[in-house]
């Protein structure tokens, strides 16, 4: 139940995702009970964002690190 999820939420997604239904993902994020939630889409990437080649992988990691650092 998404509304019970109340922790800070960062969703990283590939714009070329073929394994996860974008509509379902978007709906879950909207319904999540988190006050702080963010969706970052990398348009040319697919499902395994952290297994992409450089420089794409570094862009994903940089986004993740900046978000984590905002909570320190």
């Amino acid at each position: 139940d998404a509304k019970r999820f109340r922790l800070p939420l960062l969703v990283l997604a590939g714009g070329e995702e073929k394994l996860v239904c974008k509509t379902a993902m978007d709906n879950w994020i909207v319904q999540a009970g988190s006050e702080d939630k963010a969706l970052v889409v990398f348009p040319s990437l697919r499902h395994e964002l952290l297994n992409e080649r450089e420089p794409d992988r570094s862009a994903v990691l940089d986004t993740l690190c900046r978000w984590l650092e905002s909570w320190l």
Side-chain angles (χ1 to χ4, degrees), residues 11-34:
V11 177
L12 302 174
E16 297 295 320
E17 172 69 62
K18 303 292 185 215
L19 298 176
V20 175
C21 174
K22 182 178 178 344
T23 302
M25 178 184 66
D26 291 342
N27 288 340
W28 195 90
I29 294 167
V30 167
Q31 293 172 13
S34 305

Side-chain angles (χ1 to χ4, degrees), residues 11-68:
V11 177
L12 302 174
E16 297 295 320
E17 172 69 62
K18 303 292 185 215
L19 298 176
V20 175
C21 174
K22 182 178 178 344
T23 302
M25 178 184 66
D26 291 342
N27 288 340
W28 195 90
I29 294 167
V30 167
Q31 293 172 13
S34 305
E35 289 185 24
D36 181 346
K37 49 189 168 181
L39 169 63
V40 179
V41 177
F42 295 87
S44 64
L45 303 186
R46 294 180 296 261
H47 184 73
E48 294 189 43
L49 301 179
L50 296 176
N51 287 328
E52 294 287 349
R53 295 188 174 148
E54 295 297 342
D56 295 325
R57 182 175 184 269
S58 289
V60 173
L61 287 171
D62 183 58
T63 299
L64 174 59
C65 288
R66 281 186 283 121
W67 185 82
L68 289 170

